[in-house]
Amino acid sequence: MTIRSFLRHETILLLLLVIALIVLAQQSDRFFTTDNLLNQARLMAEVGLLALPMTFVIVTGGIDLSVGSIFGLAAILLGVFWHGLGLPLPLAMALAVLVGGIAGLGNGLIITRFNVPPLIATLATLALYRGLAEGISQARSVRGYPEWFFVLGQGEVLGLPTQLWFLLAIAIAAAIVLGLTTFGRTTYAIGANEVAARFSGLNVARTKLLIYTGSGLVAGLAAVIFVSRVSTTRSDMGTGLELDVITAVVLGGTSIFGGRGTIIGTLLGLILMQALKSGLALGGVKGDGTIVVIGVVLIAAILLGNLLSRNGDG
Amino acid sequence: MTAIVELRQVSKSFGNLKVLKDVSFDVQPGEVHALLGENGAGKSTLIKIISGVLHPDEGELRVVGEAVRLASPREARGRGIATVYQELLLFPELSVAENIYLGHAPRTRWGAIDWPKMRSGARALLDSLDSHDLDVDTKVGLLSVANRQRVEIAKALSQEARLLIMDEPTAALADSDARKLLTIVRRLRDRGVGIIYVSHRMQEIFALADRVTVLRDGAFIATKPIGEVTEGSLVSMMVGRSIDQLFPKTETARGATVLELRNVSHREIVRNVSLTLRAGEILGIAGLIGSGRTETALTIFGITPATSGEILVDGKPVVIDSPAAARALGIAYVPEDRGLQGLVKPQTIRENISLAIIDRLARLLLIDRRREGQLARESIARFGIRARGPEQLVRQLSGGNQQKVVLAKWIATEPRVLIMDEPTRGIDVGAKAEIHALMSKLAGQGLAVLMISSELPEVLGMSDRVLVMRGGAVVAEFDRADATPDAVGSAMTAAGQSSLEGAA
Ligand SMILES: Nc1ncnc2c1ncn2[C@@H]1O[C@H](COP(=O)(O)OP(=O)(O)OP(=O)(O)O)[C@@H](O)[C@H]1O
Ligand SMILES: [Mg+2]
């Protein structure tokens, strides 16, 4: 894919987004208020964080279904480390993120060492990590976190929700890595033709390992932010989260077959999805209706993407 | 007699690149009409127009005298036009019979697929192509390239083809398989089928064609009966000049030994191979398909690491367990299958050429786009790659130009040992001579070249020494002076009993 056709997909997304926002603004006068917008940003930060490494994963032609479970596991362990083991909270937070990374590394090892297709490998760890989370928590929730901890999920820094700063920083880093570095180039090459990537002397296994580890680490981080936002931990946190994440990425123009996709696209896809969700909620549409609309938009985006890539090479 | 198909003043552009200019062309029943031209001349494009894949911008297409607009390849097939494409398009997971009848399987009265009829039909078709040994229930993915091609042809014939189009059918075949294919083509011609035949191999054209049409840069040059042309006149029509030497081998001083294999094996596929390769030398490896040549190359390159034996670079033992390790030692491998192993087709020429040295083009992990673009532009000029520019997608290039991109990519690594597996497959005479000249020049600068080729003239014409492989082992070695076609040819088949184990 050339830069030009990337931009074309993103232009169309942007247009869709503008249309959606206009429609939503007309539906409800509460939509275009600073409060609502900032609140929406807060709500989408966790999915947004997860969508960044997921873009890498899908660009390699893989998938990570286990992010929601890793998220739940890290959340539970944060509570256990702090409340159960009595560790200082900052240390517990760091350990929770680390556990996410280790869980991701586990995915990567299964996929690269034993050549298990990512779909199967992460489907298995989706069950495994969720099972661990439930086993550890015994359905008990942890509450009573200290006040300073809520800055992360409920506070503001320089007028913006704290987690938005995390999202922005990691998004910029991800965009640079994917777009401009050898690591990013390797990621695209693996997705477009893994055999040729290997025959070119690129380190395919290491690249994949790093990507899945990164996916786990970010899931750990998102879990800590989430716990801070909702002030409690429970074992079913993040159930089904992977669907939102994958939807945002695919909506953003990343090809599910690999080799194609950008961080900017993912961010646009994320915002579009969040706008639809909140707009529909404000308009009084119930949860099921929202899912239907998002499904339709997703299909439209995929069809559009197919059409574009076909025009692209004549 | 009415022509089966006729093109009148057809033009076609991609963007603002005019690929065909006012081309007229026709095929009569029972004739083999060869289509010639350099890489990128527009041969495949012309064929795609006849087979309904592309539409002409101007001009008209007539099928049996009737002007038509083919909406799809399916419609072309319905009108008796069958095509065997340059890149084989079979489904590896399906059986031979299923592939042959894909999309038009015989049905029972109830509308279900009539399996017995399908299998017996497939059997009959393959028999009519003299392929009695090919089992209709085998998965296509397990077949050799030659057999896959027979399946493609059977598939084409299964739809009552009046016209069979073959785009470089022998490019991937060894000589003996190619000869068999020619017999099949002649038999079809005698049945009254019209055949369009694209090939860069001159002997085939003269052995087979009734008429030839030459394209150059998308323009129609001439259509001539085969009796009125010579190899020389065809070449000068194709390239607009004459080529003085196809095998420009220069004598170079041989330097120190760069690469040495001592009893290297990989499982049962590569058996106790020993060889030495010196700087400035071109070492050719001849052998039939399946003789272990490519497998030896893959072992040296670290794809299938050696399971026993020793590899030495500059006299020092090394471990090569990955292509990255091979590359770090200055070993480059231009693979046999460019589509699968050589190229990332959805990416640009620039991204492909820089792929193997991407870490060298980076500063602080960031890719230096300026240097990358410069490398791509230089390579396009140096190898004469026909493209709109560095940003063109590789999959839009003609087959021969794709091959040049793979070469450019590996030359860019500035290797000390260059392994080339079928380096001129699908490349036109002009470019072939250029690549041979380049090979000679690189050897002259001290590069050690290991060349695997199924074209005997190429091996004999370019090599300083020739190794012959059979059954995974080196069975003979010849110096340039002793490497006659007969001697090498008989060593390749089991007939030759000369068993000089890999010497020195
Ligand atoms: N989809 C496409 N988009 C843009 N340019 C294209 C496309 N397909 C082919 N071309 C260009 O058209 C020209 C003719 O290509 P074509 O494949 O017909 O050549 P060819 O004669 O078959 O060459 P070869 O012998 O190498 O197979 C080439 O310059 C090629 O780059
Ligand atoms: Mg072609």
Side-chain angles (χ1 to χ4, degrees):
Chain A
M1 281 297 101
T2 56
I3 307 273
R4 234 181 312 146
S5 61
F6 270 139
L7 287 183
R8 259 190 296 166
H9 186 100
E10 275 139 25
T11 325
I12 288 180
L13 263 183
L14 203 61
L15 275 175
L16 268 176
L17 185 59
V18 170
I19 295 171
L21 290 180
I22 291 175
V23 173
L24 291 174
Q26 255 145 31
Q27 296 282 317
S28 156
D29 48 4
R30 275 176 300 155
F31 183 75
F32 252 113
T33 56
T34 318
D35 269 358
N36 183 46
L37 290 182
L38 287 182
N39 191 36
Q40 293 309 323
R42 207 184 276 286
L43 292 179
M44 79 182 186
E46 290 114 27
V47 171
L49 281 170
L50 291 170
L52 299 173
M54 187 67 86
T55 308
F56 283 76
V57 169
I58 297 183
V59 166
T60 64
I63 192 96
D64 186 349
L65 296 178
S66 72
V67 287
S69 297
I70 297 181
F71 183 94
L73 182 63
I76 281 301
L77 286 176
L78 173 63
V80 169
F81 289 147
W82 175 67
H83 191 260
L85 302 182
L87 298 178
L89 188 52
L91 182 61
M93 288 159 65
L95 284 178
V97 175
L98 190 69
V99 165
I102 292 170
L105 181 68
N107 285 335
L109 286 173
I110 297 171
I111 290 163
T112 57
R113 288 289 139 83
F114 305 107
N115 269 325
V116 180
L119 185 77
I120 307 294
T122 58
L123 189 63
T125 54
L126 170 135
L128 173 68
Y129 297 151
R130 179 65 65 196
L132 281 177
E134 277 163 4
I136 293 172
S137 81
Q138 304 288 347
R140 281 191 303 270
S141 59
V142 177
R143 293 170 176 282
Y145 290 96
E147 203 55 36
W148 66 265
F149 178 62
F150 299 127
V151 172
L152 210 50
Q154 302 172 19
E156 285 183 2
V157 173
L158 300 177
L160 288 183
T162 316
Q163 55 265 64
L164 204 56
W165 290 106
F166 279 94
L167 180 60
L168 281 177
I170 299 182
I172 290 171
I176 291 175
V177 171
L178 189 58
L180 304 177
T181 65
T182 54
F183 187 86
R185 194 60 73 75
T186 308
T187 307
Y188 283 116
I190 291 173
N193 185 347
E194 183 165 335
V195 176
R198 200 154 79 87
F199 271 77
S200 302
L202 301 180
N203 201 331
V204 173
R206 195 190 60 195
T207 304
K208 285 189 183 174
L209 212 57
L210 284 172
I211 288 175
Y212 284 94
T213 308
S215 179
L217 273 177
V218 173
L221 175 67
V224 173
I225 290 174
F226 182 73
V227 170
S228 163
R229 174 156 74 82
V230 300
S231 348
T232 172
T233 45
R234 285 200 331 266
S235 64
D236 63 347
M237 283 177 161
T239 306
L241 197 60
E242 60 279 351
L243 291 182
D244 277 359
V245 174
I246 294 167
T247 305
V249 174
V250 174
L251 202 54
T254 298
S255 163
I256 202 79
F257 302 110
R260 205 143 53 81
T262 57
I263 294 295
I264 308 239
T266 294
L267 290 177
L268 286 174
L270 173 74
I271 297 172
L272 181 59
M273 194 174 75
Q274 188 62 32
L276 283 174
K277 270 189 179 175
S278 74
L280 291 169
L282 282 175
V285 181
K286 295 232 176 61
D288 295 345
T290 315
I291 296 176
V292 170
V293 172
I294 288 180
V296 169
V297 173
L298 186 59
I299 291 172
I302 292 174
L303 292 183
L304 219 64
N306 277 351
L307 220 67
L308 277 183
S309 67
R310 211 170 301 141
N311 288 345
D313 35 77
Chain B
M1 222 177 338
T2 30
I4 305 178
V5 293
E6 188 180 356
L7 291 178
R8 291 192 182 167
Q9 251 106 55
V10 161
S11 297
K12 175 78 194 170
S13 303
F14 290 114
N16 39 25
L17 180 77
K18 204 157 187 184
V19 178
L20 289 177
K21 303 164 195 159
D22 274 340
V23 175
S24 298
F25 180 81
D26 69 281
V27 191
Q28 304 294 330
E31 85 162 341
V32 177
H33 194 154
L35 191 55
L36 265 76
E38 288 184 278
N39 295 130
K43 304 180 296 293
S44 297
T45 306
L46 186 138
I47 279 172
K48 284 179 188 156
I49 287 177
I50 297 178
S51 56
V53 178
L54 296 172
H55 302 297
D57 298 336
E58 289 161 42
E60 83 182 357
L61 168 65
R62 288 172 168 266
V63 178
V64 211
E66 177 195 351
V68 294
R69 185 185 151 79
L70 298 174
S72 67
R74 200 182 174 85
E75 190 180 332
R77 279 200 301 274
R79 290 179 183 267
I81 300 172
T83 313
V84 179
Y85 289 100
Q86 196 165 0
E87 321 277 328
L88 298 180
L89 296 175
L90 298 171
F91 292 85
E93 288 301 313
L94 297 184
S95 75
V96 168
E98 285 166 321
N99 265 290
I100 292 178
Y101 283 104
L102 197 73
H104 58 279
R107 302 278 169 172
T108 61
R109 255 186 313 147
W110 317 106
I113 289 178
D114 188 344
W115 287 98
K117 198 164 163 202
M118 182 158 123
R119 295 181 62 247
S120 64
R123 183 73 268 152
L125 279 168
L126 289 171
D127 286 347
S128 78
L129 298 175
D130 252 349
S131 305
H132 305 283
D133 49 340
L134 204 61
D135 182 4
V136 295
D137 297 318
T138 327
K139 271 191 193 172
V140 160
L142 303 175
L143 299 178
S144 69
V145 181
N147 278 331
R148 263 187 277 170
Q149 197 147 42
R150 287 188 197 128
V151 176
E152 279 269 13
I153 295 170
K155 177 177 172 167
L157 297 180
S158 69
Q159 359 201 9
E160 308 286 319
R162 276 184 292 194
L163 174 71
L164 180 63
I165 307 176
M166 304 176 92
D167 197 354
E168 299 197 35
T170 54
L173 299 188
D175 277 344
S176 58
D177 286 320
R179 273 197 298 278
K180 271 191 212 150
L181 182 76
L182 300 199
T183 318
I184 293 175
V185 174
R186 282 198 201 95
R187 183 172 303 173
L188 293 175
R189 170 181 65 188
D190 296 342
R191 280 193 223 157
V193 177
I195 290 153
I196 302 178
Y197 194 86
V198 178
S199 174
H200 292 294
R201 295 190 181 179
M202 284 292 177
Q203 302 113 297
E204 281 173 23
I205 304 287
F206 282 96
L208 205 57
D210 301 300
R211 288 192 295 161
V212 287
T213 290
V214 177
L215 297 180
R216 183 163 80 224
D217 281 332
F220 174 83
I221 302 296
T223 297
K224 294 248 168 89
I226 194 76
E228 291 177 17
V229 291
T230 62
E231 187 164 333
S233 70
L234 279 182
V235 169
S236 58
M237 277 196 273
M238 276 164 62
V239 298
R241 63 190 154 85
S242 57
I243 289 181
D244 17 297
Q245 245 190 324
L246 187 52
F247 302 115
K249 177 82 187 98
T250 48
E251 279 305 314
T252 51
R254 298 189 206 171
T257 298
V258 187
L259 178 74
E260 184 175 353
L261 268 61
R262 289 187 189 155
N263 290 314
V264 168
S265 298
H266 174 77
R267 306 236 168 95
E268 300 290 296
I269 312 167
V270 177
R271 298 209 215 135
N272 289 321
V273 170
S274 297
L275 61 84
T276 54
L277 182 60
R278 300 165 70 178
E281 178 179 52
I282 300 179
L283 177 61
I285 304 188
L288 300 176
I289 283 182
S291 60
R293 299 167 304 169
T294 294
E295 289 72 12
T296 305
L298 292 179
T299 299
I300 302 175
F301 192 59
I303 299 275
T304 53
T307 45
S308 71
E310 220 182 356
I311 299 179
L312 296 91
V313 171
D314 292 331
K316 287 186 216 75
V318 292
V319 176
I320 304 177
D321 54 4
S322 69
R327 194 188 54 187
L329 291 163
I331 300 173
Y333 174 59
V334 175
E336 173 180 38
D337 185 336
R338 65 170 169 258
L340 186 65
Q341 302 161 338
L343 294 169
V344 183
K345 282 196 186 177
Q347 294 191 340
T348 61
I349 298 178
R350 167 178 58 78
E351 288 164 316
N352 270 279
I353 290 182
S354 65
L355 197 60
I357 54 162
I358 195 68
D359 43 356
R360 274 193 249 162
L361 285 177
R363 219 174 285 142
L364 295 172
L365 296 179
L366 293 185
I367 298 168
D368 186 339
R369 281 292 287 269
R370 205 180 47 78
R371 269 173 69 199
E372 195 192 17
Q374 193 182 339
L375 171 71
R377 279 191 302 277
E378 282 168 10
S379 302
I380 288 173
R382 179 173 181 192
F383 294 89
I385 298 170
R386 249 177 240 210
R388 282 204 297 272
E391 295 305 314
Q392 188 166 10
L393 300 186
V394 163
R395 74 153 154 244
Q396 295 176 342
L397 296 182
S398 76
N401 282 302
Q402 291 182 358
Q403 181 70 13
K404 292 185 197 170
V405 172
V406 185
L407 260 173
K409 158 175 147 183
W410 281 107
I411 298 295
T413 65
E414 296 171 350
R416 307 184 51 222
V417 176
L418 177 63
I419 308 172
M420 302 170 110
D421 203 344
E422 308 289 357
T424 60
R425 174 176 285 178
I427 281 196
D428 69 54
V429 269
K432 208 171 202 168
E434 280 169 37
I435 283 177
H436 289 152
L438 184 77
M439 219 191 265
S440 270
K441 194 172 123 206
L442 290 168
Q445 293 164 357
L447 188 70
V449 180
L450 188 65
M451 179 186 62
I452 298 169
S453 171
S454 293
E455 264 186 73
L456 206 48
E458 183 170 72
V459 178
L460 302 182
M462 293 306 300
S463 310
D464 293 299
R465 276 186 303 140
V466 178
L467 294 183
V468 180
M469 289 193 70
R470 196 173 68 228
V474 175
V475 294
E477 175 171 347
F478 299 93
D479 265 326
R480 183 173 176 79
D482 309 327
T484 61
D486 283 346
V488 175
S490 66
M492 279 163 61
T493 55
Q497 292 306 328
S498 55
S499 218
L500 309 159
E501 286 297 342

